[in-house]
Amino acid sequence: MEYARYVVQPEDTIYKIAKAYNVEMSDIIHLNQLKHPDRIYPGQVLLLPTLETSGPMPGEIPEPNFTYAMWLYDVYAGKDSELSAVTTYLYQAVVLDRPEFDELLRPIAYDELRHLEQFGWALRFLGVDPRYGSFSKGHWVDWRARFLNYTTELCAILDYNMEDEARAVQHYTELAHKIPIPEIQAILTQIAADEERHYQCFAQAKQQFCGCALPEQALVSPQMPGVPGNIPVTPETPIPPAVGPGQGKG
C-alpha cells in the first residue's frame, strides 16, 4: 500500500480528513496508532493510505524534506538529543552541588538549550511540528525522562559527557553533508563546533578532578563548503565562567 504524509490543518478532524481523501477513519487511526483520535492538532503529521495520484495532496510534506525532518527530530528530541543534553547537564549540576561544577555545566546546558531552539526552527522550516519526540521504526515516540543517564559519580559523569559530545560532533558533521540546505548546514556546523568546545571543557575537568591526561588533539570537525570554518579548540581553552540563560557563548 502507498502512503501519503499529511500535515493536520486547523479545524481538521479524522472524519474530515478521511472524507476528503476517501479513506476509512479506522485505517488512519490504525496506521498512525492513534490512542486518542479526537485529539489531533495542527502541524501533526499523519500517514494516509492513498492510491497513486498525479500530484501531492494538500498538506502533504514532499520528499526529501520529510527524511531530513526525521533526521533532525532524532537530534532535537530523540534519545540522544539536545533536549536530553539540556536536562542531563542541569540534573548533573544539581546532584554534584558544587560551584566549580555549576560553572562548568550550566553554561553548556544553556548552549544546548540554544541548539534545541535552532533545531526547532529548522523543523518548522521543513514544514513539520517541532514537537518533542522522534520517529522510531516509522512510529512517533514522545521524548521521555528515562532517556537520561542518571549517573552521579563525578568521573563517570565526565566520561559519559565526553563520549556523548564526541559522538555529537561526528553526527552533526555527517548530517551537514547529508542535508543540502545551506541554512540547516550552517546550523549543524556551528553546533558541531560548540559540541567540540564542550568536549574539551569536560576533558579539562577530568584532568583536574580525576587525574587523567588531556587528549593529545582537539576533535576538529570538517569545514562545510560555503560555511565558515570552525575555530580549533586547544587543551588550554579555559572552562567558561557561569552565565545566565540565553547568554551561553557559541
Side-chain angles (χ1 to χ4, degrees):
M1 181 181 291
E2 296 292 330
Y3 303 106
R5 298 180 181 92
Y6 177 78
V7 183
V8 176
Q9 305 299 309
E11 301 182 4
D12 268 350
T13 64
I14 296 297
Y15 173 78
K16 289 175 64 176
I17 296 170
K19 185 176 181 181
Y21 297 108
N22 196 28
V23 297
E24 296 294 331
M25 290 177 58
S26 59
D27 289 342
I28 299 177
I29 293 169
H30 176 74
L31 184 59
N32 294 277
Q33 296 188 338
L34 299 177
K35 295 181 180 179
H36 303 285
D38 57 325
R39 299 180 188 175
I40 61 174
Y41 54 89
Q44 182 177 0
V45 178
L46 297 176
L47 293 178
L48 303 183
T50 180
L51 300 175
E52 291 188 7
T53 59
S54 58
M57 300 163 60
E60 184 184 355
I61 302 173
E63 290 291 358
N65 277 19
F66 191 81
T67 295
Y68 300 157
M70 285 197 297
W71 293 341
L72 292 184
Y73 270 125
D74 282 340
V75 295
Y76 173 66
K79 183 178 184 298
D80 299 312
S81 66
E82 296 298 324
L83 182 55
S84 295
V86 173
T87 47
T88 294
Y89 294 151
L90 291 178
Y91 169 80
Q92 292 171 354
V94 171
V95 297
L96 293 175
D97 194 25
R98 284 171 55 180
E100 59 268 38
F101 302 139
D102 202 66
E103 292 177 359
L104 168 67
L105 290 161
R106 287 189 184 276
I108 294 178
Y110 297 143
D111 274 352
E112 307 292 8
L113 183 60
R114 176 168 48 82
H115 299 166
L116 183 71
E117 182 180 19
Q118 289 175 299
F119 281 137
W121 283 111
L123 287 165
R124 288 290 292 165
F125 177 83
L126 292 173
V128 299
D129 179 15
R131 186 181 183 187
Y132 296 137
S134 61
F135 287 92
S136 176
K137 298 180 180 179
H139 300 296
W140 179 260
V141 178
D142 287 324
W143 183 87
R144 301 171 184 180
R146 66 178 176 81
F147 291 164
L148 303 191
N149 184 306
Y150 290 106
T151 300
T152 58
E153 194 276 320
L154 173 61
C155 295
I157 282 175
L158 294 174
D159 281 336
Y160 173 81
N161 292 354
M162 288 172 63
E163 291 175 6
D164 192 59
E165 296 290 349
R167 284 195 301 268
V169 172
Q170 180 179 0
H171 189 46
Y172 290 148
T173 302
E174 291 172 352
L175 281 180
H177 282 86
K178 291 168 65 177
I179 301 178
I181 300 174
E183 294 86 352
I184 295 179
Q185 286 181 335
I187 290 172
L188 287 163
T189 303
Q190 181 55 58
I191 291 177
D194 286 346
E195 308 295 21
E196 183 179 329
R197 177 169 51 82
H198 298 165
Y199 172 89
Q200 294 298 334
C201 290
F202 289 130
Q204 287 181 51
K206 185 174 180 180
Q207 180 190 45
Q208 180 178 354
F209 298 108
C210 303
C212 300
L214 285 169
E216 295 183 358
Q217 62 183 15
L219 300 172
V220 180
S221 52
Q223 180 178 345
M224 285 298 301
V227 178
N230 299 336
I231 299 174
V233 181
T234 66
E236 290 75 27
T237 305
I239 293 176
V243 293
Q247 294 178 292
K249 295 182 180 179

